[in-house]
Amino acid sequence: MIDLQKLCKITLENAEKRQKNGAKIDTDTRKMIKHCATEVVESAEAYNSMVDGVANKEIFAGEIADIICCCLIIAGKEDIDIERAIYDCVEKNERRANGSGDKL
């Protein structure tokens, strides 16, 4: 099992080190959310390229991983228990799938 809390710490530390080394990355939560949005667009472009036969699945997988890492950095920065948040989301969507949630 992956320890997401540990990954939050590692991804945040790496982003902060990259920032100190001059990379164009900012761990400020608002800026990281915007960066994550850019990664979502890049993943959509990679998916389209994959479907069109221009790129491969590894490129798309890498873009999806970039989105996840952005979220882990944000969770680390905001001291969010991301494992609990994900489990809560899964349970919420399970209730919705079973017709007992607030949105069907």
Side-chain angles (χ1 to χ4, degrees), residues 23-92:
K24 292 184 178 183
I25 188 167
D26 193 325
T27 60
D28 171 78
T29 298
R30 286 185 182 93
K31 290 180 181 177
M32 187 55 62
I33 291 169
K34 288 180 181 181
H35 181 78
C36 187
T38 301
E39 296 295 351
V40 170
V41 171
E42 290 175 4
S43 72
E45 291 170 353
Y47 180 77
N48 288 337
S49 292
M50 183 183 73
V51 171
D52 294 338
V54 177
N56 61 37
K57 199 173 212 173
E58 289 177 14
I59 294 170
F60 177 57
E63 295 298 342
I64 294 295
D66 286 343
I67 295 167
I68 292 167
C69 284
C70 284
C71 294
L72 292 172
I73 291 167
I74 293 165
K77 185 78 171 185
E78 297 299 322
D79 196 30
I80 291 170
D81 183 341
I82 196 64
E83 289 182 5
R84 179 76 261 150
I86 291 170
Y87 282 123
D88 289 348
C89 184
V90 169
E91 289 173 0
K92 170 188 70 181

Side-chain angles (χ1 to χ4, degrees), residues 91-104:
E91 289 173 0
K92 170 188 70 181
N93 286 315
E94 183 176 23
R95 287 190 304 274
R96 290 175 176 174
N98 293 327
S100 63
D102 60 337
K103 296 179 186 175
L104 301 179

